[in-house]
Amino acid sequence: QSTENMSSRATLLEKTNTLTDSFHRIVDELEQMKMFIKQSIENKISDINNLSENIASINEEISALHVSGIESNDLLDKQEALLHDLSQLVNVTVKAQSNGMVNVSTASGALVSGSSATRLTSKIDSSGVINIVNYKNENSKYTFNTGEIKGLQDFYNETIAKYDDKLDTLAASLIKEVNKIHSEGVGLSGGFTSLFSTNAVSSTTVALDAAGLSISPKSGDIYVTVIDESTGDVTKSNISVDVSADSLADLQTSLDGITNISASIVDNKLLIKADSGYKVNFSYALDPNPGSLGTATASVSGIYSGQSNDVYTFTALGTGTIGNTTGLQIEVKDSSGTVIATLDVGSDYTPGNTINVANGVSFTLSSGAITAGDTFSLDVINDSDSTDLLAALGINTFFDGTDASNIVVNAEIAEDVSRIAASTGEIGNTTNVLRLAALQDDNDVLDNTTFAD
């Protein structure tokens, strides 16, 4: 459907809220399961403690009878029954003493020594792992190789933890990949008068790759588009970022140096504002009016489909009048100097007609005169933020959050669905929404598993 359809946008928001609610519900269910397993472990530990204390008590009775020379068969039967019950819970080694007592131990330490019993308890460490420890010495861990309590510990520490990790990985990947694409698009306004990042850095002067961002940025380029609302003129500026050296303050300075926008830092977050009468975005859309050759005005259309960012240089090969001079041509080279197209704009060309250049880029030239050597350049971009900084900082993003427990739709989009960045430049095109839809079948972001899987 048309990206301008508000009901379609509202439906997308509703379905996304259902998705994020599902993440939250599963997180809650796993947490409830952990609480249940923890309680089960504590119940089993209580059983172990009771059995150990009963064995120690019977040991004391058996020893007293042994000193008196009295038979203690009933007590020995009770002792054996208790040892059997204990062995169902944990793997133990039993050593009989000459006085009828038994010492009970595990690979990690003693449970019963004569008439004394070791009391155990559970403790969750800083990494979230539940351990069984000596009640009087929490540094003394008890590790069991078999038994019911071992199974419960494994379920808590490994099985549930594995699903927690997988769920967080899925949510974090969804946040990152959707935001990377969304940040490069535009909503129904075609641009923004202001943009404020949702994610703060730990320090405005530390290198960006060490600034505590949940998405790790990379060194690369960010293309900034400034639109003159009165004329429609588009100016693209390229900022090169070295994330191992540049800080948020450096990025702010670079952005602030672009004509007709300003940038500042508020609470360790980046604020970008367009001057009155202008809008700003980070779209990878082509500049529709890149310049002129002589007195002929060039126009560009299409969606660049090349595999990497590049610069196409258009150069007049001869002198003459567009649509009139026989054999008049324009040569197009990429940034490596390779000729990618030679365009005929002579007597066989009608001024204003569209010519296919290459990789989805089309070209139109008005009537006018050109001279050999006349030239202009065009940035062709398939990724207007190769650094992932827009997604990392939370600029024009679709999702907020870092994992399954806190993934939500960005508050500004939740309040105004017209901000959903379905397009790349021209309002109504579906380029960005198609890129977003294609993510469901991309098997490069989740270890050969797609989001749909």
Side-chain angles (χ1 to χ4, degrees), residues 104 176 191 238 240 282 289:
V104 185
K176 176 182 178 181
N238 178 22
S240 293
F282 297 91
N289 303 302

Side-chain angles (χ1 to χ4, degrees), residues 228-285:
D228 185 330
E229 293 187 271
S230 61
T231 64
D233 287 346
V234 172
T235 303
K236 284 189 177 290
S237 302
N238 178 22
I239 297 174
S240 293
V241 181
D242 180 353
V243 295
S244 66
D246 293 334
S247 65
L248 186 66
D250 294 322
L251 178 61
Q252 176 259 324
T253 299
S254 296
L255 287 166
D256 203 43
I258 296 174
T259 303
N260 295 316
I261 66 170
S262 60
S264 58
I265 297 175
V266 180
D267 296 331
N268 285 14
K269 298 177 182 179
L270 185 64
L271 175 62
I272 303 168
K273 289 187 174 182
D275 293 348
S276 178
Y278 292 86
K279 288 184 178 179
V280 61
N281 66 47
F282 297 91
S283 170
Y284 54 94

Side-chain angles (χ1 to χ4, degrees), residues 84-116:
H84 177 268
D85 290 344
L86 184 60
S87 68
Q88 298 300 303
L89 297 173
V90 293
N91 53 306
V92 294
T93 300
V94 180
K95 289 187 178 181
Q97 307 300 308
S98 59
N99 59 359
M101 288 188 177
V102 291
N103 290 336
V104 185
S105 62
T106 71
S108 303
L111 292 179
V112 179
S113 297
S115 59
S116 298

Side-chain angles (χ1 to χ4, degrees), residues 19-298:
L19 172 67
T20 57
D21 287 346
S22 295
F23 273 114
H24 303 159
R25 174 180 52 77
I26 296 171
V27 168
D28 289 343
E29 289 175 353
L30 289 173
E31 190 59 34
Q32 289 172 14
M33 193 177 295
K34 286 174 72 174
M35 291 172 62
F36 174 78
I37 297 301
K38 180 176 181 292
Q39 185 60 55
S40 297
I41 290 173
E42 289 173 349
N43 291 341
K44 296 298 181 184
I45 291 173
S46 179
D47 291 342
I48 291 172
N49 289 338
N50 289 335
L51 288 166
S52 297
E53 288 166 1
N54 287 338
I55 292 169
S57 178
I58 286 177
N59 271 350
E60 190 171 18
E61 291 183 54
I62 290 174
S63 176
L65 291 175
H66 182 80
V67 171
S68 302
I70 301 173
E71 293 291 334
S72 55
N73 291 334
D74 288 346
L75 291 175
L76 289 171
D77 289 342
K78 288 182 180 179
Q79 183 188 71
E80 185 175 349
L82 291 169
L83 289 170
H84 177 268
D85 290 344
L86 184 60
S87 68
Q88 298 300 303
L89 297 173
V90 293
N91 53 306
V92 294
T93 300
V94 180
K95 289 187 178 181
Q97 307 300 308
S98 59
N99 59 359
M101 288 188 177
V102 291
N103 290 336
V104 185
S105 62
T106 71
S108 303
L111 292 179
V112 179
S113 297
S115 59
S116 298
T118 300
R119 190 168 184 82
L120 303 180
T121 189
S122 66
K123 180 177 176 61
I124 299 175
D125 65 20
S126 58
S127 63
V129 171
I130 191 167
N131 296 300
I132 313 302
V133 298
N134 187 317
Y135 183 80
K136 293 182 178 180
N137 179 11
E138 292 184 349
N139 293 322
S140 177
K141 294 181 182 179
Y142 276 68
T143 303
F144 305 123
N145 298 322
T146 60
E148 294 178 21
I149 201 165
K150 161 67 173 172
L152 290 168
Q153 269 188 286
D154 286 349
F155 195 77
Y156 186 101
N157 293 335
E158 297 175 19
T159 305
I160 297 179
K162 178 184 72 175
Y163 280 101
D164 265 335
D165 288 345
K166 286 193 171 191
L167 195 66
D168 280 341
T169 297
L170 175 61
S173 298
L174 189 64
I175 292 166
K176 176 182 178 181
E177 298 304 322
V178 168
N179 284 351
K180 280 168 57 178
I181 293 174
H182 194 274
S183 63
E184 296 180 353
V186 292
L188 296 181
S189 67
F192 306 92
T193 55
S194 68
L195 286 165
F196 189 40
S197 65
T198 57
N199 302 324
V201 293
S202 58
S203 167
T204 60
T205 56
V206 73
L208 286 161
D209 64 355
L213 297 169
S214 60
I215 295 175
S216 299
K218 303 172 293 186
S219 295
D221 296 322
I222 300 175
Y223 287 84
V224 186
T225 299
V226 178
I227 305 165
D228 185 330
E229 293 187 271
S230 61
T231 64
D233 287 346
V234 172
T235 303
K236 284 189 177 290
S237 302
N238 178 22
I239 297 174
S240 293
V241 181
D242 180 353
V243 295
S244 66
D246 293 334
S247 65
L248 186 66
D250 294 322
L251 178 61
Q252 176 259 324
T253 299
S254 296
L255 287 166
D256 203 43
I258 296 174
T259 303
N260 295 316
I261 66 170
S262 60
S264 58
I265 297 175
V266 180
D267 296 331
N268 285 14
K269 298 177 182 179
L270 185 64
L271 175 62
I272 303 168
K273 289 187 174 182
D275 293 348
S276 178
Y278 292 86
K279 288 184 178 179
V280 61
N281 66 47
F282 297 91
S283 170
Y284 54 94
L286 297 168
D287 180 353
N289 303 302
S292 300
L293 291 174
T295 61
T297 301

Side-chain angles (χ1 to χ4, degrees), residues 399-425:
F399 285 118
D400 285 346
T402 57
D403 57 30
S405 69
N406 58 18
I407 180 175
V408 291
V409 176
N410 178 279
E412 290 185 325
I413 288 176
E415 293 173 3
D416 180 7
V417 293
S418 73
R419 292 179 67 101
I420 295 174
S423 306
T424 54

